Amino acid sequence: MAEDIAKKTTLDEAELKQVAAQAEAKQTRHRLDEYIAMVIALCAVFILWLMQAMGFY
Amino acid sequence: MAQDVTYDQTVAGRPEARKPSIWSALPSWQKSWPGLLAMAVIAILCGLPGLEVFPFTIDALLRYFDSVLPPIYGKGLFVDLLHFNYVVTCLVAGIVIRNVIGVPKSWEPGLTYSGCFMNVGIIMLGSQYVLRDLVKLGPISIVIMVFMVFGGALIFTFMGRYFKMGDALTGLLAAAFSMCGVSACIAIAPMVRAKSEEVAYAIAVSVTFGLVCLFALPFIGRLLGLSNDAFGLLSAAGVPNSNQVIATGFNFSFEAGKVSGFSNIGRLVLIPAGVLFIYFMTLGKELRTTTISFWSVLKEKFPLFVFGFAFVWTLNCLQAWPVPASEAMGNVMNWFFSLCFVGLGLTTKLADLKKAGPKGIVIGYVAGSMRIGLCLILLFIVIKMGYFK
Protein backbone atom coordinates (compact mmCIF):
# COMPACT_ATOMS: atom_id res chain seq x y z
CA MET A 1 0.00 0.00 0.00
CA ALA A 2 2.89 2.38 0.85
CA GLU A 3 4.38 1.79 -2.58
CA ASP A 4 1.03 2.46 -4.15
CA ILE A 5 0.68 5.78 -2.32
CA ALA A 6 4.21 6.77 -3.34
CA LYS A 7 3.40 5.92 -6.95
CA LYS A 8 0.23 7.98 -6.80
CA THR A 9 1.96 11.06 -5.42
CA THR A 10 4.66 10.99 -8.08
CA LEU A 11 2.14 10.79 -10.93
CA ASP A 12 2.52 13.44 -13.50
CA GLU A 13 -0.04 16.10 -12.58
CA ALA A 14 -0.22 17.30 -16.18
CA GLU A 15 -1.31 13.87 -17.33
CA LEU A 16 -3.98 13.72 -14.63
CA LYS A 17 -5.24 17.13 -15.75
CA GLN A 18 -5.35 15.86 -19.32
CA VAL A 19 -7.40 12.81 -18.27
CA ALA A 20 -9.75 15.09 -16.29
CA ALA A 21 -10.16 17.39 -19.31
CA GLN A 22 -10.92 14.39 -21.55
CA ALA A 23 -13.49 13.16 -19.02
CA GLU A 24 -15.14 16.58 -18.92
CA ALA A 25 -15.23 16.81 -22.73
CA LYS A 26 -16.74 13.34 -22.94
CA GLN A 27 -19.32 14.22 -20.30
CA THR A 28 -20.30 17.37 -22.21
CA ARG A 29 -20.58 15.41 -25.46
CA HIS A 30 -22.68 12.81 -23.66
CA ARG A 31 -25.10 15.47 -22.44
CA LEU A 32 -25.33 17.02 -25.91
CA ASP A 33 -26.02 13.61 -27.43
CA GLU A 34 -28.83 13.20 -24.92
CA TYR A 35 -30.37 16.58 -25.79
CA ILE A 36 -30.13 15.89 -29.54
CA ALA A 37 -31.57 12.39 -29.06
CA MET A 38 -34.52 13.79 -27.11
CA VAL A 39 -35.24 16.37 -29.82
CA ILE A 40 -34.96 13.81 -32.67
CA ALA A 41 -37.03 11.14 -30.88
CA LEU A 42 -39.80 13.48 -29.75
CA CYS A 43 -39.98 15.08 -33.22
CA ALA A 44 -40.17 11.60 -34.81
CA VAL A 45 -42.95 10.57 -32.42
CA PHE A 46 -44.87 13.81 -33.11
CA ILE A 47 -44.50 13.46 -36.90
CA LEU A 48 -45.66 9.83 -36.84
CA TRP A 49 -48.60 10.73 -34.61
CA LEU A 50 -49.47 13.63 -36.97
CA MET A 51 -49.26 11.37 -40.02
CA GLN A 52 -51.56 8.87 -38.32
CA ALA A 53 -54.00 11.67 -37.39
CA MET A 54 -53.97 12.91 -41.00
CA GLY A 55 -54.81 9.40 -42.19
CA PHE A 56 -51.56 8.58 -43.99
CA TYR A 57 -51.66 5.00 -42.70
CA MET B 1 -7.47 50.42 -2.37
CA ALA B 2 -7.00 47.55 -4.68
CA GLN B 3 -10.15 46.52 -6.48
CA ASP B 4 -10.91 42.91 -7.23
CA VAL B 5 -11.35 42.37 -10.94
CA THR B 6 -13.54 39.44 -11.91
CA TYR B 7 -13.04 37.19 -14.91
CA ASP B 8 -16.14 38.59 -16.57
CA GLN B 9 -14.98 42.18 -16.18
CA THR B 10 -11.56 41.37 -17.57
CA VAL B 11 -12.57 39.39 -20.62
CA ALA B 12 -15.89 41.06 -21.46
CA GLY B 13 -15.95 42.08 -25.08
CA ARG B 14 -12.88 40.04 -26.00
CA PRO B 15 -14.17 37.27 -28.28
CA GLU B 16 -10.86 35.39 -28.21
CA ALA B 17 -11.11 34.97 -24.43
CA ARG B 18 -14.75 33.86 -24.29
CA LYS B 19 -15.51 30.49 -22.79
CA PRO B 20 -16.34 28.04 -25.59
CA SER B 21 -20.03 27.13 -25.93
CA ILE B 22 -20.95 23.57 -24.95
CA TRP B 23 -22.09 23.07 -28.56
CA SER B 24 -18.44 23.29 -29.61
CA ALA B 25 -18.11 19.75 -28.21
CA LEU B 26 -20.06 18.55 -31.28
CA PRO B 27 -18.33 18.13 -34.62
CA SER B 28 -19.71 20.57 -37.21
CA TRP B 29 -22.24 19.48 -39.84
CA GLN B 30 -19.62 19.97 -42.60
CA LYS B 31 -17.33 17.51 -40.83
CA SER B 32 -20.10 15.10 -39.77
CA TRP B 33 -22.13 14.53 -42.93
CA PRO B 34 -19.79 12.01 -44.65
CA GLY B 35 -19.88 9.68 -41.64
CA LEU B 36 -23.63 10.12 -41.13
CA LEU B 37 -24.31 9.48 -44.83
CA ALA B 38 -22.04 6.41 -44.78
CA MET B 39 -23.91 4.99 -41.76
CA ALA B 40 -27.29 5.58 -43.44
CA VAL B 41 -26.23 4.06 -46.79
CA ILE B 42 -24.66 0.98 -45.14
CA ALA B 43 -27.73 0.50 -42.91
CA ILE B 44 -30.07 0.68 -45.94
CA LEU B 45 -27.86 -1.73 -47.90
CA CYS B 46 -27.91 -4.15 -44.95
CA GLY B 47 -31.73 -4.14 -44.99
CA LEU B 48 -33.71 -1.94 -42.62
CA PRO B 49 -36.65 -3.75 -40.98
CA GLY B 50 -39.99 -2.49 -42.27
CA LEU B 51 -38.42 -0.77 -45.29
CA GLU B 52 -39.05 -3.16 -48.16
CA VAL B 53 -38.93 -0.49 -50.89
CA PHE B 54 -35.25 -1.22 -51.56
CA PRO B 55 -34.91 -4.88 -52.59
CA PHE B 56 -31.15 -5.14 -53.22
CA THR B 57 -29.95 -5.63 -49.67
CA ILE B 58 -27.45 -7.93 -47.98
CA ASP B 59 -30.37 -9.40 -46.03
CA ALA B 60 -32.17 -10.29 -49.30
CA LEU B 61 -28.92 -11.73 -50.67
CA LEU B 62 -28.45 -13.99 -47.61
CA ARG B 63 -32.06 -15.19 -47.89
CA TYR B 64 -31.44 -15.93 -51.58
CA PHE B 65 -28.31 -17.97 -50.68
CA ASP B 66 -30.35 -19.90 -48.10
CA SER B 67 -32.97 -20.74 -50.73
CA VAL B 68 -30.34 -21.83 -53.30
CA LEU B 69 -27.84 -23.66 -51.07
CA PRO B 70 -28.71 -27.17 -49.86
CA PRO B 71 -30.26 -26.99 -46.36
CA ILE B 72 -28.31 -28.19 -43.32
CA TYR B 73 -30.51 -30.35 -41.07
CA GLY B 74 -33.46 -28.85 -42.96
CA LYS B 75 -32.43 -25.28 -42.07
CA GLY B 76 -30.94 -22.39 -43.99
CA LEU B 77 -27.28 -21.62 -43.21
CA PHE B 78 -27.37 -17.85 -42.73
CA VAL B 79 -30.82 -16.99 -41.37
CA ASP B 80 -31.74 -20.15 -39.43
CA LEU B 81 -28.39 -21.55 -38.26
CA LEU B 82 -26.10 -18.50 -38.04
CA HIS B 83 -29.07 -16.26 -37.09
CA PHE B 84 -28.09 -13.46 -39.46
CA ASN B 85 -30.60 -10.69 -38.82
CA TYR B 86 -30.34 -6.95 -39.42
CA VAL B 87 -28.29 -6.52 -36.21
CA VAL B 88 -25.61 -9.03 -37.20
CA THR B 89 -25.59 -7.82 -40.81
CA CYS B 90 -25.12 -4.16 -39.78
CA LEU B 91 -22.43 -5.04 -37.24
CA VAL B 92 -20.50 -7.45 -39.46
CA ALA B 93 -20.66 -5.03 -42.41
CA GLY B 94 -19.30 -2.26 -40.19
CA ILE B 95 -16.55 -4.42 -38.69
CA VAL B 96 -15.47 -5.72 -42.13
CA ILE B 97 -15.36 -2.21 -43.61
CA ARG B 98 -13.35 -0.87 -40.65
CA ASN B 99 -10.87 -3.74 -40.34
CA VAL B 100 -10.53 -5.00 -43.92
CA ILE B 101 -11.17 -2.05 -46.23
CA GLY B 102 -10.56 0.79 -43.78
CA VAL B 103 -12.61 3.83 -42.82
CA PRO B 104 -11.77 7.23 -44.36
CA LYS B 105 -10.77 9.89 -41.83
CA SER B 106 -13.62 12.10 -43.05
CA TRP B 107 -16.15 9.57 -41.69
CA GLU B 108 -14.83 9.66 -38.11
CA PRO B 109 -16.68 12.81 -36.81
CA GLY B 110 -20.03 11.51 -38.12
CA LEU B 111 -19.48 8.08 -36.59
CA THR B 112 -19.36 9.65 -33.11
CA TYR B 113 -23.15 10.14 -33.42
CA SER B 114 -23.82 6.40 -33.09
CA GLY B 115 -24.30 6.81 -29.31
CA CYS B 116 -26.83 9.57 -29.98
CA PHE B 117 -28.80 7.26 -32.31
CA MET B 118 -28.85 4.62 -29.59
CA ASN B 119 -30.42 7.18 -27.23
CA VAL B 120 -33.04 8.03 -29.88
CA GLY B 121 -33.86 4.32 -30.19
CA ILE B 122 -34.16 3.91 -26.41
CA ILE B 123 -36.48 6.94 -26.11
CA MET B 124 -38.67 5.55 -28.93
CA LEU B 125 -38.64 2.17 -27.18
CA GLY B 126 -41.12 3.83 -24.80
CA SER B 127 -43.73 3.55 -27.59
CA GLN B 128 -43.43 -0.25 -27.45
CA TYR B 129 -44.17 -0.60 -23.73
CA VAL B 130 -47.38 -0.44 -21.75
CA LEU B 131 -47.99 -0.36 -18.00
CA ARG B 132 -48.21 -4.16 -17.61
CA ASP B 133 -44.72 -4.55 -19.16
CA LEU B 134 -43.31 -2.24 -16.53
CA VAL B 135 -45.11 -4.14 -13.76
CA LYS B 136 -43.84 -7.45 -15.18
CA LEU B 137 -40.24 -6.38 -15.83
CA GLY B 138 -39.66 -3.35 -13.60
CA PRO B 139 -39.16 -4.81 -10.10
CA ILE B 140 -37.13 -7.83 -11.23
CA SER B 141 -34.95 -5.67 -13.53
CA ILE B 142 -34.24 -3.26 -10.70
CA VAL B 143 -33.30 -6.05 -8.27
CA ILE B 144 -31.01 -7.77 -10.78
CA MET B 145 -29.44 -4.51 -11.98
CA VAL B 146 -28.75 -3.32 -8.43
CA PHE B 147 -27.21 -6.70 -7.61
CA MET B 148 -25.15 -6.78 -10.80
CA VAL B 149 -23.87 -3.19 -10.64
CA PHE B 150 -22.73 -3.40 -7.02
CA GLY B 151 -21.91 -7.14 -7.07
CA GLY B 152 -19.95 -6.70 -10.30
CA ALA B 153 -17.97 -3.84 -8.79
CA LEU B 154 -17.17 -6.05 -5.79
CA ILE B 155 -15.98 -8.89 -8.07
CA PHE B 156 -13.65 -6.52 -9.91
CA THR B 157 -12.36 -4.99 -6.68
CA PHE B 158 -11.60 -8.45 -5.35
CA MET B 159 -9.94 -9.52 -8.65
CA GLY B 160 -7.96 -6.28 -8.80
CA ARG B 161 -6.60 -6.74 -5.30
CA TYR B 162 -5.88 -10.45 -5.91
CA PHE B 163 -3.90 -9.75 -9.09
CA LYS B 164 -2.34 -6.56 -7.58
CA MET B 165 -3.60 -4.43 -10.46
CA GLY B 166 -3.50 -1.06 -8.74
CA ASP B 167 -6.44 1.00 -7.53
CA ALA B 168 -6.90 3.14 -10.64
CA LEU B 169 -7.07 0.25 -13.08
CA THR B 170 -9.29 -1.75 -10.71
CA GLY B 171 -11.70 1.20 -10.47
CA LEU B 172 -11.68 1.71 -14.23
CA LEU B 173 -12.40 -1.95 -14.99
CA ALA B 174 -15.07 -2.12 -12.28
CA ALA B 175 -16.80 0.95 -13.75
CA ALA B 176 -16.46 -0.26 -17.35
CA PHE B 177 -17.87 -3.72 -16.66
CA SER B 178 -20.45 -2.92 -13.97
CA MET B 179 -21.98 0.13 -15.58
CA CYS B 180 -21.83 1.37 -19.14
CA GLY B 181 -18.38 0.57 -20.49
CA VAL B 182 -16.43 3.35 -22.12
CA SER B 183 -18.51 6.25 -20.74
CA ALA B 184 -18.37 5.04 -17.14
CA CYS B 185 -14.66 4.33 -17.52
CA ILE B 186 -13.91 7.86 -18.71
CA ALA B 187 -16.27 9.38 -16.13
CA ILE B 188 -14.53 7.72 -13.21
CA ALA B 189 -10.96 8.20 -14.52
CA PRO B 190 -10.24 11.57 -12.82
CA MET B 191 -11.82 10.40 -9.57
CA VAL B 192 -9.49 7.41 -9.27
CA ARG B 193 -6.53 9.44 -10.64
CA ALA B 194 -6.04 7.13 -13.60
CA LYS B 195 -3.33 7.61 -16.22
CA SER B 196 -4.27 7.87 -19.90
CA GLU B 197 -2.75 4.49 -20.76
CA GLU B 198 -4.74 2.86 -17.95
CA VAL B 199 -7.94 4.40 -19.38
CA ALA B 200 -7.08 3.17 -22.89
CA TYR B 201 -6.30 -0.29 -21.51
CA ALA B 202 -9.58 -0.58 -19.56
CA ILE B 203 -11.57 0.62 -22.58
CA ALA B 204 -9.84 -1.92 -24.84
CA VAL B 205 -10.61 -4.78 -22.41
CA SER B 206 -14.29 -3.81 -21.96
CA VAL B 207 -14.93 -3.17 -25.66
CA THR B 208 -13.37 -6.45 -26.79
CA PHE B 209 -15.20 -8.40 -24.06
CA GLY B 210 -18.45 -6.81 -25.22
CA LEU B 211 -17.64 -7.78 -28.79
CA VAL B 212 -17.15 -11.42 -27.79
CA CYS B 213 -20.43 -11.30 -25.78
CA LEU B 214 -22.27 -9.82 -28.74
CA PHE B 215 -21.75 -12.94 -30.80
CA ALA B 216 -21.31 -15.60 -28.09
CA LEU B 217 -24.10 -14.74 -25.63
CA PRO B 218 -27.03 -15.30 -28.05
CA PHE B 219 -25.66 -18.81 -28.77
CA ILE B 220 -25.30 -19.49 -25.03
CA GLY B 221 -28.81 -18.13 -24.46
CA ARG B 222 -30.29 -20.42 -27.11
CA LEU B 223 -28.29 -23.35 -25.74
CA LEU B 224 -29.69 -22.75 -22.25
CA GLY B 225 -33.19 -22.22 -23.63
CA LEU B 226 -33.54 -18.75 -22.09
CA SER B 227 -36.75 -16.82 -22.70
CA ASN B 228 -36.68 -13.43 -24.43
CA ASP B 229 -37.18 -11.63 -21.13
CA ALA B 230 -34.44 -13.59 -19.35
CA PHE B 231 -31.99 -13.08 -22.20
CA GLY B 232 -32.77 -9.36 -22.40
CA LEU B 233 -31.96 -9.03 -18.71
CA LEU B 234 -28.82 -11.15 -19.08
CA SER B 235 -27.46 -8.99 -21.91
CA ALA B 236 -28.22 -5.76 -19.99
CA ALA B 237 -26.52 -7.11 -16.87
CA GLY B 238 -23.58 -8.91 -18.48
CA VAL B 239 -22.42 -6.86 -21.48
CA PRO B 240 -20.35 -3.79 -20.64
CA ASN B 241 -21.21 -1.14 -23.29
CA SER B 242 -24.75 0.13 -23.84
CA ASN B 243 -24.56 -0.11 -27.67
CA GLN B 244 -23.35 -3.68 -27.33
CA VAL B 245 -26.06 -4.48 -24.75
CA ILE B 246 -28.82 -3.55 -27.17
CA ALA B 247 -27.10 -5.19 -30.15
CA THR B 248 -26.71 -8.44 -28.14
CA GLY B 249 -30.39 -8.35 -27.16
CA PHE B 250 -31.63 -7.74 -30.72
CA ASN B 251 -29.18 -10.37 -31.96
CA PHE B 252 -31.13 -12.93 -29.87
CA SER B 253 -34.60 -11.68 -30.86
CA PHE B 254 -36.61 -8.51 -31.30
CA GLU B 255 -38.42 -9.04 -27.97
CA ALA B 256 -35.14 -9.69 -26.14
CA GLY B 257 -33.73 -6.50 -27.67
CA LYS B 258 -36.67 -4.53 -26.31
CA VAL B 259 -36.12 -6.00 -22.83
CA SER B 260 -32.38 -5.34 -22.94
CA GLY B 261 -33.00 -1.71 -23.94
CA PHE B 262 -35.50 -1.30 -21.11
CA SER B 263 -33.31 -3.03 -18.50
CA ASN B 264 -30.29 -1.04 -19.63
CA ILE B 265 -32.13 2.11 -18.53
CA GLY B 266 -32.14 0.67 -15.00
CA ARG B 267 -28.38 0.24 -15.20
CA LEU B 268 -27.82 3.75 -16.54
CA VAL B 269 -29.90 5.25 -13.74
CA LEU B 270 -27.62 3.49 -11.25
CA ILE B 271 -24.46 5.10 -12.68
CA PRO B 272 -24.16 7.94 -10.11
CA ALA B 273 -24.51 5.54 -7.16
CA GLY B 274 -22.21 2.99 -8.86
CA VAL B 275 -19.49 5.59 -9.50
CA LEU B 276 -19.48 6.58 -5.82
CA PHE B 277 -19.52 2.95 -4.71
CA ILE B 278 -16.49 2.13 -6.88
CA TYR B 279 -14.68 5.27 -5.73
CA PHE B 280 -15.03 4.29 -2.07
CA MET B 281 -14.45 0.57 -2.68
CA THR B 282 -11.31 0.80 -4.80
CA LEU B 283 -9.48 3.72 -3.22
CA GLY B 284 -8.13 3.50 0.28
CA LYS B 285 -8.99 6.39 2.66
CA GLU B 286 -5.52 7.88 2.30
CA LEU B 287 -5.77 8.02 -1.51
CA ARG B 288 -9.11 9.82 -1.65
CA THR B 289 -7.94 13.31 -2.55
CA THR B 290 -11.08 14.69 -4.16
CA THR B 291 -14.10 15.84 -2.15
CA ILE B 292 -17.06 14.05 -3.68
CA SER B 293 -20.59 15.34 -3.32
CA PHE B 294 -23.39 12.89 -4.06
CA TRP B 295 -25.57 15.62 -5.59
CA SER B 296 -22.87 16.86 -7.94
CA VAL B 297 -22.21 13.29 -9.11
CA LEU B 298 -25.95 12.73 -9.54
CA LYS B 299 -26.29 15.98 -11.53
CA GLU B 300 -23.36 15.16 -13.79
CA LYS B 301 -23.90 11.46 -14.40
CA PHE B 302 -27.68 10.95 -14.37
CA PRO B 303 -28.86 10.02 -17.89
CA LEU B 304 -31.38 12.73 -18.83
CA PHE B 305 -32.74 10.93 -21.90
CA VAL B 306 -34.50 8.55 -19.47
CA PHE B 307 -37.06 11.35 -19.06
CA GLY B 308 -37.64 11.21 -22.82
CA PHE B 309 -38.30 7.46 -22.56
CA ALA B 310 -40.66 8.04 -19.61
CA PHE B 311 -42.54 10.74 -21.57
CA VAL B 312 -43.07 8.57 -24.68
CA TRP B 313 -43.96 5.56 -22.51
CA THR B 314 -46.53 7.62 -20.55
CA LEU B 315 -48.14 8.80 -23.81
CA ASN B 316 -48.26 5.20 -25.03
CA CYS B 317 -49.86 4.06 -21.74
CA LEU B 318 -52.45 6.84 -22.12
CA GLN B 319 -53.12 5.53 -25.66
CA ALA B 320 -52.21 8.89 -27.18
CA TRP B 321 -51.81 7.11 -30.53
CA PRO B 322 -53.41 3.99 -32.03
CA VAL B 323 -51.63 0.70 -32.80
CA PRO B 324 -50.52 1.51 -36.42
CA ALA B 325 -48.67 4.61 -35.20
CA SER B 326 -47.05 2.54 -32.46
CA GLU B 327 -45.93 0.00 -35.08
CA ALA B 328 -44.50 2.79 -37.25
CA MET B 329 -42.62 4.10 -34.21
CA GLY B 330 -41.25 0.59 -33.67
CA ASN B 331 -39.89 0.59 -37.24
CA VAL B 332 -38.33 4.04 -36.85
CA MET B 333 -36.81 2.84 -33.55
CA ASN B 334 -35.25 -0.10 -35.40
CA TRP B 335 -33.81 2.23 -38.05
CA PHE B 336 -32.10 4.30 -35.40
CA PHE B 337 -30.78 1.15 -33.73
CA SER B 338 -29.53 -0.03 -37.15
CA LEU B 339 -27.63 3.25 -37.59
CA CYS B 340 -26.18 2.74 -34.11
CA PHE B 341 -25.11 -0.85 -34.94
CA VAL B 342 -23.45 0.22 -38.19
CA GLY B 343 -21.66 2.98 -36.26
CA LEU B 344 -20.65 0.45 -33.60
CA GLY B 345 -19.21 -1.88 -36.28
CA LEU B 346 -17.42 0.97 -38.05
CA THR B 347 -15.73 2.04 -34.81
CA THR B 348 -14.76 -1.49 -33.68
CA LYS B 349 -11.03 -1.97 -34.12
CA LEU B 350 -10.02 -5.61 -33.85
CA ALA B 351 -6.47 -4.38 -33.12
CA ASP B 352 -7.84 -3.37 -29.69
CA LEU B 353 -7.69 -7.07 -28.80
CA LYS B 354 -3.89 -6.78 -29.01
CA LYS B 355 -3.97 -3.54 -27.00
CA ALA B 356 -5.81 -5.29 -24.16
CA GLY B 357 -2.88 -7.71 -23.79
CA PRO B 358 -2.91 -11.21 -22.25
CA LYS B 359 -3.17 -10.06 -18.60
CA GLY B 360 -6.04 -7.69 -19.38
CA ILE B 361 -7.82 -10.39 -21.34
CA VAL B 362 -7.44 -12.87 -18.46
CA ILE B 363 -8.50 -10.50 -15.66
CA GLY B 364 -11.21 -8.66 -17.57
CA TYR B 365 -12.62 -11.71 -19.28
CA VAL B 366 -12.54 -13.93 -16.17
CA ALA B 367 -14.24 -11.28 -14.02
CA GLY B 368 -16.67 -10.39 -16.82
CA SER B 369 -17.55 -14.07 -17.28
CA MET B 370 -17.99 -14.41 -13.51
CA ARG B 371 -20.51 -11.53 -13.63
CA ILE B 372 -22.42 -13.27 -16.43
CA GLY B 373 -22.34 -16.54 -14.47
CA LEU B 374 -23.62 -14.74 -11.37
CA CYS B 375 -26.40 -13.16 -13.40
CA LEU B 376 -27.38 -16.54 -14.86
CA ILE B 377 -27.54 -18.05 -11.36
CA LEU B 378 -29.71 -15.13 -10.22
CA LEU B 379 -31.99 -15.51 -13.21
CA PHE B 380 -32.40 -19.25 -12.66
CA ILE B 381 -33.22 -18.65 -8.96
CA VAL B 382 -35.79 -16.00 -9.88
CA ILE B 383 -37.29 -18.24 -12.58
CA LYS B 384 -37.37 -21.22 -10.18
CA MET B 385 -39.17 -19.11 -7.59
CA GLY B 386 -41.78 -18.26 -10.21
CA TYR B 387 -41.17 -14.49 -10.29
CA PHE B 388 -40.07 -14.56 -13.89
CA LYS B 389 -40.36 -16.69 -17.02
Side-chain angles (χ1 to χ4, degrees):
Chain A
M1 183 57 90
E3 274 175 26
D4 207 15
I5 296 166
K7 188 186 148 205
K8 288 273 170 197
T9 47
T10 53
L11 267 181
D12 186 5
E13 283 300 317
E15 193 182 356
L16 293 178
K17 272 186 190 160
Q18 193 195 338
V19 171
Q22 277 172 357
E24 203 185 326
K26 182 84 184 169
Q27 183 65 35
T28 310
R29 177 66 205 269
H30 229 65
R31 272 282 177 262
L32 286 174
D33 278 347
E34 286 184 323
Y35 296 145
I36 296 169
M38 283 214 262
V39 171
I40 295 175
L42 296 180
C43 283
V45 166
F46 177 71
I47 291 167
L48 290 169
W49 170 80
L50 203 67
M51 284 169 75
Q52 160 79 35
M54 289 165 78
F56 273 95
Y57 52 88
Chain B
M1 197 175 120
Q3 196 182 356
D4 287 333
V5 180
T6 64
Y7 172 82
D8 287 335
Q9 284 166 342
T10 319
V11 299
R14 283 168 49 197
E16 72 278 5
R18 260 182 226 147
K19 272 188 178 178
S21 140
I22 60 159
W23 295 100
S24 62
L26 282 176
S28 67
W29 168 248
Q30 283 91 342
K31 282 183 183 169
S32 307
W33 75 263
L36 292 170
L37 185 68
M39 276 197 281
V41 170
I42 295 167
I44 291 170
L45 285 176
C46 286
L48 290 175
L51 191 77
E52 278 86 26
V53 285
F54 187 70
F56 307 107
T57 61
I58 297 175
D59 185 56
L61 188 71
L62 294 176
R63 283 176 196 280
Y64 170 74
F65 282 146
D66 275 355
S67 65
V68 175
L69 293 171
I72 302 165
Y73 297 110
K75 288 178 175 178
L77 174 67
F78 292 106
V79 178
D80 298 329
L81 288 175
L82 292 175
H83 298 281
F84 260 80
N85 51 21
Y86 75 98
V87 181
V88 183
T89 317
C90 287
L91 275 166
V92 172
I95 292 172
V96 167
I97 292 171
R98 158 66 76 178
N99 296 283
V100 179
I101 305 165
V103 167
K105 226 177 173 183
S106 58
W107 289 13
E108 300 286 358
L111 299 182
T112 60
Y113 282 91
S114 64
C116 178
F117 294 140
M118 182 200 65
N119 292 348
V120 177
I122 293 177
I123 294 170
M124 295 197 75
L125 189 64
S127 67
Q128 308 299 303
Y129 276 98
V130 286
L131 190 61
R132 67 166 180 277
D133 295 319
L134 194 78
V135 173
K136 184 179 79 172
L137 280 171
I140 218 74
S141 301
I142 290 168
V143 169
I144 290 184
M145 285 305 147
V146 168
F147 203 85
M148 292 309 296
V149 166
F150 298 107
L154 280 176
I155 291 175
F156 271 91
T157 311
F158 170 76
M159 291 282 285
R161 297 231 165 109
Y162 187 79
F163 287 101
K164 297 184 174 63
M165 268 198 310
D167 293 333
L169 193 56
T170 305
L172 290 172
L173 283 175
F177 278 75
S178 313
M179 290 175 290
C180 69
V182 178
S183 309
C185 194
I186 290 170
I188 206 167
M191 291 166 77
V192 294
R193 296 173 64 80
K195 288 191 279 181
S196 46
E197 66 259 36
E198 287 173 321
V199 178
Y201 181 83
I203 288 174
V205 175
S206 78
V207 168
T208 54
F209 180 74
L211 190 66
V212 174
C213 285
L214 214 159
F215 294 103
L217 263 193
F219 278 98
I220 295 171
R222 286 187 192 105
L223 211 66
L224 296 172
L226 291 181
S227 68
N228 290 326
D229 290 351
F231 187 82
L233 264 175
L234 176 70
S235 65
V239 182
N241 291 292
S242 289
N243 299 6
Q244 292 170 333
V245 164
I246 293 168
T248 309
F250 279 108
N251 198 356
F252 186 77
S253 72
F254 178 72
E255 286 305 315
K258 276 170 59 183
V259 175
S260 63
F262 176 76
S263 308
N264 192 46
I265 293 174
R267 189 171 73 155
L268 295 174
V269 167
L270 287 169
I271 286 179
V275 162
L276 287 174
F277 181 74
I278 291 168
Y279 175 74
F280 287 107
M281 280 302 299
T282 53
L283 290 189
K285 221 181 219 174
E286 56 283 9
L287 290 175
R288 290 183 211 144
T289 49
T290 343
T291 318
I292 305 286
S293 141
F294 175 74
W295 292 111
S296 66
V297 173
L298 187 72
K299 210 173 94 184
E300 276 175 30
K301 318 274 188 250
F302 191 84
L304 289 178
F305 72 97
V306 169
F307 294 116
F309 170 87
F311 180 69
V312 176
W313 171 75
T314 309
L315 289 179
N316 196 43
C317 289
L318 295 171
Q319 296 182 333
W321 46 73
V323 177
S326 185
E327 283 171 2
M329 285 173 202
N331 278 335
V332 176
M333 174 193 83
N334 278 328
W335 298 349
F336 278 106
F337 279 141
S338 297
L339 287 174
C340 164
F341 300 148
V342 171
L344 179 62
L346 287 173
T347 48
T348 299
K349 296 170 192 161
L350 294 179
D352 281 352
L353 269 169
K354 273 187 215 158
K355 212 192 278 176
K359 196 181 174 189
I361 301 244
V362 170
I363 298 168
Y365 284 33
V366 166
S369 307
M370 278 168 71
R371 281 189 73 242
I372 291 175
L374 184 71
C375 184
L376 272 172
I377 293 168
L378 264 175
L379 278 172
F380 282 125
I381 291 171
V382 173
I383 291 168
K384 201 89 180 154
M385 288 166 77
Y387 291 115
F388 200 64
K389 278 183 193 169

